[in-house]
Amino acid sequence: MERTFVMIKPDGVQRNLVGEILARYEKKGYKLLAMKLMRVTEELAHQHYAEHVGKPFFPGLVEYITSGPVVALVLGGKGVVAGVRAMNGATNPANAAPGTIRGDYGIEVGRNVVHASDSVESAEREIAIYFKEEEILAYEKNVDAWLYE
Ligand code: IDP
């Protein structure tokens, strides 16, 4: 099953949006494979956002992502990588369509509520940064027969 790494960022936790955001992914039909409330350390932030080291917004990004607890998730399902990116909306909430999480709950790019992997490869890289393989559960749900032909 395709998997993606998702994070409800510190602003999402502080603004009491965890339940609403989780409900969206659940109702879509994506399967919750792993979940934890945690703090992102400076070291984790550098690993996760390695591609952005040196960019002007990088120090602010590290400050933001380490500023409070986050919810880290692994979600599974057919097409889940692209599907969750679409549900999250454009990186900058100012450009994110209404109906997307960033479009509905965010204002500025530096407080954009959620993260999701942008490809199957980056999903596997990010999952390995945040989770041990034994923390990721494989299980059947009866509803699968109602989601997949
Ligand atoms: P993504 O989160 O939609 O994949 P990326 O371009 O990978 O977007 O950027 C990673 C994160 O860095 C964004 O989600 C956002 O929190 C932050 N970020 C990106 N560009 C800017 C910027 O120009 N100013 C402030 N923060 C930014």
Side-chain angles (χ1 to χ4, degrees), residues 9 49 51-52 57 61 64 85 91 102 109-110 112 115-116:
K9 294 178 172 179
Y49 287 118
E51 66 177 309
H52 297 308
F57 64 82
L61 173 58
Y64 164 46
R85 292 280 294 186
T91 301
R102 288 162 170 171
V109 69
N112 62 357
H115 164 82

Side-chain angles (χ1 to χ4, degrees), residues 2-8 21 24-26 28-31 73-90 99-102 114-118:
E2 187 173 302
R3 310 191 296 181
T4 194
F5 174 72
V6 179
M7 184 189 286
I8 304 175
I21 292 169
R24 289 186 179 215
Y25 301 138
E26 275 195 301
K28 169 73 177 171
Y30 296 136
K31 193 182 280 184
L73 305 166
V74 179
L75 298 179
K78 187 176 182 184
V80 69
V81 170
V84 172
R85 292 280 294 186
M87 290 177 75
N88 285 1
T100 65
I101 293 168
R102 288 162 170 171
V114 280
H115 164 82
S117 311
D118 63 5

